[in-house]
Amino acid sequence: MTDKTPGKSHRPAPVFTHPDDVPLLTALTALADPVRIQLVRTLADHPDWSLSCSNFDVPVGRAAKSHHFSVLRAAGLVEQRDEGPKRLNRLRREEFDARFPGLLDLTLRDDEAS
């Protein structure tokens, strides 16, 4: 029998890594993919916990998007929590900046020439 308690999810809670436990290579690898950069930039432009996974307009399917979020969680960049059927997201900017000062600023910078 499944738990139908309001606010509970049928899936396991997402596992994430604290940035203090992330090696530099893992952080750089997570930020090396254009889709993941787009996810991080979108999160940076919105308040914490305001976007569910379905709110991101990226050129990949659901399974690939789930994989990208998993990589971001493992790199300490994203924290997720379930609220009913939605998985909400927040960028762990403060914690990540403490571990890797300036790395997110470089990632979020608009590099397009004027």
Side-chain angles (χ1 to χ4, degrees), residues 1-80:
M1 180 179 252
T2 59
D3 184 2
K4 297 286 185 178
T5 307
K8 297 283 185 179
S9 176
H10 62 281
R11 57 188 168 184
V15 176
F16 53 89
T17 306
H18 193 279
D20 288 345
D21 300 325
V22 175
L24 177 60
L25 186 56
T26 301
L28 292 173
T29 300
L31 291 169
D33 183 275
V35 171
R36 289 193 289 269
I37 289 175
Q38 187 176 348
L39 294 172
V40 168
R41 286 179 174 172
T42 301
L43 280 170
D45 289 340
H46 291 83
D48 289 351
W49 309 119
S50 64
L51 295 176
S52 69
C53 293
S54 63
N55 292 129
F56 294 85
D57 185 24
V58 289
V60 296
R62 285 180 62 188
K65 191 187 311 183
S66 178
H67 166 73
H68 286 300
F69 273 112
S70 177
V71 170
L72 293 172
R73 285 194 317 268
L77 281 155
V78 171
E79 185 177 2
Q80 296 178 306

